[in-house]
Amino acid sequence: GDSVTQMEGPVTLSEEAFLTINCTYTATGYPSLFWYVQYPGEGLQLLLKATKADDKGSNKGFEATYRKETTSFHLEKGSVQVSDSAVYFCALVSGGSNYKLTFGKGTLLTVNP
Amino acid sequence: GAVVSQHPSWVICKSGTSVKIECRSLDFQATTMFWYRQFPKQSLMLMATSNEGSKATYEQGVEKDKFLINHASLTLSTLTVTSAHPEDSSFYICSARLQGLGLGEQYFGPGTRLTVT
């Protein structure tokens, strides 16, 4: 079955530091890939997505590139802010999962001023 | 943007009682709603998918008689945990899908923390 593996947290960074959260996946066929973010006390929100190989999703300074050869979709941001503190979930949808979302375990990011 | 609410945000109940959790799409009509369960430091696990006016489709291993899902309108779905036991304590999250969105794009509620004593 489909699965998503993302780096264990928590991750603690200082403001303006570079962020990478690793995500790799196993899926049937050609999945669509997502990063969802959950701010404290709120529901998950779609941060960015990529639907085919070599696509780059981007939003709010975050980027992730769909790498089919390494089955990865790592999340990056060049300069994090305190307001980026949240839990980040990597996820996929594929025909093998009957088009249901499969999530990673989530990575807690804390950014200190 | 589209907002999904859940009520209550947390609930404590005694073993053997039933608890109802509501999920509402506040400013849109949801063609499909989903219920997830999340254990500490674990990923979200899909429990069931429901479409308005039809029976929910449960994932393998989820007891449909224990977790009753009703999707009576395009803006409301409810999850009732019947005869709750301590092992049902968890974080329950609902989401809704708006027709026309891409696959995998869902709007999530903030979750409900259930503690069974």
Side-chain angles (χ1 to χ4, degrees):
Chain A
D2 296 348
S3 67
V4 175
T5 303
Q6 61 182 103
M7 64 187 286
E8 296 274 337
V11 174
T12 303
L13 296 173
S14 298
E15 206 165 22
E16 298 184 3
F18 184 85
L19 168 71
T20 299
I21 301 178
N22 291 336
C23 172
T24 57
Y25 66 89
T26 303
T28 304
Y30 301 98
S32 294
L33 303 174
F34 306 84
W35 277 99
Y36 274 84
V37 58
Q38 185 176 29
Y39 298 104
E42 299 182 16
L44 278 74
Q45 303 172 23
L46 179 62
L47 178 61
L48 54 83
K49 68 175 185 179
T51 58
K52 60 183 188 296
D54 300 326
D55 266 3
K56 177 186 284 188
S58 61
N59 186 24
K60 299 182 180 180
F62 291 90
E63 292 182 341
T65 300
Y66 188 143
R67 300 287 187 199
K68 184 168 176 289
E69 63 276 12
T70 54
T71 61
S72 64
F73 192 55
H74 304 320
L75 182 68
E76 296 183 337
K77 186 174 185 182
S79 176
V80 293
Q81 305 300 312
V82 172
S83 56
D84 294 326
S85 297
V87 181
Y88 292 82
F89 292 89
C90 186
L92 68 82
V93 159
S94 77
S97 66
N98 204 18
Y99 301 105
K100 300 168 192 171
L101 275 169
T102 300
F103 286 92
K105 292 184 178 181
T107 302
L108 172 63
L109 169 67
T110 302
V111 181
N112 295 317
Chain B
V3 178
V4 174
S5 70
Q6 283 184 240
H7 178 79
S9 54
W10 59 271
V11 58
I12 301 172
C13 71
K14 292 188 176 180
S15 188
T17 62
S18 295
V19 174
K20 180 184 285 188
I21 301 170
E22 291 186 349
C23 175
R24 293 181 185 272
S25 56
L26 297 186
D27 49 4
F28 67 100
Q29 293 185 326
T31 54
T32 306
M33 286 185 167
F34 305 85
W35 286 95
Y36 295 85
R37 183 171 178 178
Q38 184 180 28
F39 293 100
K41 298 186 179 180
Q42 299 291 320
S43 61
L44 280 72
M45 302 300 296
L46 181 65
M47 299 175 66
T49 303
S50 73
N51 293 292
E52 183 261 343
S54 60
K55 289 185 178 180
T57 302
Y58 290 82
E59 295 299 299
Q60 193 171 8
V62 177
E63 298 176 60
K64 60 180 68 176
D65 293 331
K66 171 172 259 312
F67 298 101
L68 300 178
I69 291 171
N70 183 277
H71 193 163
S73 76
L74 284 170
T75 59
L76 173 64
S77 176
T78 59
L79 167 67
T80 301
V81 183
T82 62
S83 186
H85 290 285
E87 57 266 29
D88 299 325
S89 298
S90 192
F91 196 57
Y92 293 89
I93 300 172
C94 74
S95 70
R97 187 164 181 274
L98 180 62
Q99 194 165 15
L101 282 185
L103 289 175
E105 295 186 41
Q106 299 172 17
Y107 295 103
F108 285 80
T112 297
R113 172 77 58 195
L114 169 63
T115 301
V116 185
T117 61

